[in-house]
Amino acid sequence: MTTLRTTIEDHLSTLQDRLGQAVSRLPGQRPGDRRACTDDFLVATTQHLAAVADIVLPAARKHDPEARSLTREYLRSAKRLERALVIAKAKQYGQAQNVGRAWEQVWTMVRTDLESVAELERDLVARVSERLSEVESHRLGDRLALAARRSPTRPHPHLPHSGVAGKVVRTVASRADRVWDEFEGRVIQPLTPREAG
C-alpha cells in the first residue's frame, strides 16, 4: 500500500524516465528500440492521465470544494498534453501531416506540457492529502495504481474526461485501444505495480 502522494510521485518519476529513454539516441540503437521506448512513454502517460481523471479529480472535488477551478485547469492541461502525445504517436508512425515536424520540436512540446500537468497534479494531491486520513490516502493511492493499469493505452483528447460520461468513455476506449494494440502488434509496457508503487 502506498499513499496517494507516493503513487503520484512514482508515476511522475516513471514518466520522466520513460520520456528520457524515448528522447535519447543511443549508439547502436535500432529503430525498433526507439519505437518501443516511445510507445512505452506514450502508454504510461496516457494511462496515468486517465487514472488521475478517474481517481484524483473526484477526490479533489469531494474533499476540497475550492479546488474546482484547479481541477478545470488540470483537465485543460491534461488535454493539451494528450494532443501533444497524439502528435508524437503520429510522428512515430509516419502520419503525413507530421513528417516535416522535427522530433526535437515534438519532444519540447511534450516535455513542457508534462511539466505543467505534473505541477498541477502535485498541487491537487497536496490539497487533497491535507484533508485525508492515512487510511484514505493509502486507499486512493492503491486505487490510482489499479486504475492506471486498466486505463486506455492511447491518448483521446477530444473525449469526455470527467463525470459519468468520462468514466464510461475511458472503459470503452481502454478495450478498443487494447484491440488496436493487438492488431498493430504494438508491444506495450504499461505502468506496473512495481513502477507505480
Side-chain angles (χ1 to χ4, degrees):
M1 284 194 342
T2 60
T3 64
L4 177 60
R5 192 176 299 215
T6 304
T7 303
I8 287 288
E9 288 303 326
D10 287 347
H11 279 202
L12 293 174
S13 175
T14 297
L15 298 183
Q16 286 297 332
D17 291 347
R18 288 192 184 187
L19 177 58
Q21 292 169 5
V23 170
S24 68
R25 293 178 186 253
L26 302 173
Q29 188 178 39
R30 299 178 312 235
D33 295 340
R34 190 140 186 245
R35 175 173 286 162
C37 289
T38 301
D39 278 341
D40 286 345
F41 168 72
L42 296 174
V43 168
T45 305
T46 300
Q47 289 186 316
H48 173 71
L49 293 173
V52 169
D54 197 25
I55 304 300
V56 176
L57 298 187
R61 289 185 197 107
K62 176 182 177 184
H63 295 288
D64 186 2
E66 296 173 8
R68 290 197 184 277
S69 64
L70 190 55
T71 60
R72 282 192 297 272
E73 185 180 351
Y74 174 83
L75 282 173
R76 283 191 297 272
S77 187
K79 287 181 181 187
R80 191 170 41 252
L81 175 55
E82 284 184 335
R83 286 190 295 273
L85 297 177
V86 167
I87 291 169
K89 185 173 185 310
K91 172 81 174 156
Q92 170 93 354
Y93 287 91
Q95 185 183 43
Q97 292 96 331
N98 291 293
V99 170
R101 194 183 301 248
W103 270 113
E104 185 178 327
Q105 177 189 12
V106 172
W107 290 130
T108 298
M109 179 175 41
V110 167
R111 184 174 278 116
T112 300
D113 291 339
L114 180 59
E115 288 169 2
S116 174
V117 163
E119 184 179 327
L120 290 167
E121 273 181 28
R122 287 182 175 113
D123 288 349
L124 275 169
V125 169
R127 290 178 71 131
V128 170
S129 295
E130 289 174 1
R131 292 165 172 79
L132 295 176
S133 68
E134 189 172 337
V135 170
E136 291 171 317
S137 182
H138 283 289
R139 188 177 303 129
L140 278 179
D142 291 342
R143 286 182 56 210
L144 180 68
L146 179 63
R149 291 190 301 272
R150 294 181 176 170
S151 294
T153 60
R154 296 159 186 258
H156 300 283
H158 303 295
L159 298 178
H161 283 62
S162 58
V164 175
K167 192 169 188 79
V168 170
V169 165
R170 277 191 299 279
T171 301
V172 172
S174 178
R175 291 179 183 156
D177 287 354
R178 281 168 174 70
V179 168
W180 277 109
D181 291 342
E182 188 72 29
F183 283 151
E184 291 178 350
R186 186 175 181 225
V187 178
I188 58 168
Q189 180 185 347
L191 278 170
T192 61
R194 185 180 26 180
E195 286 180 310

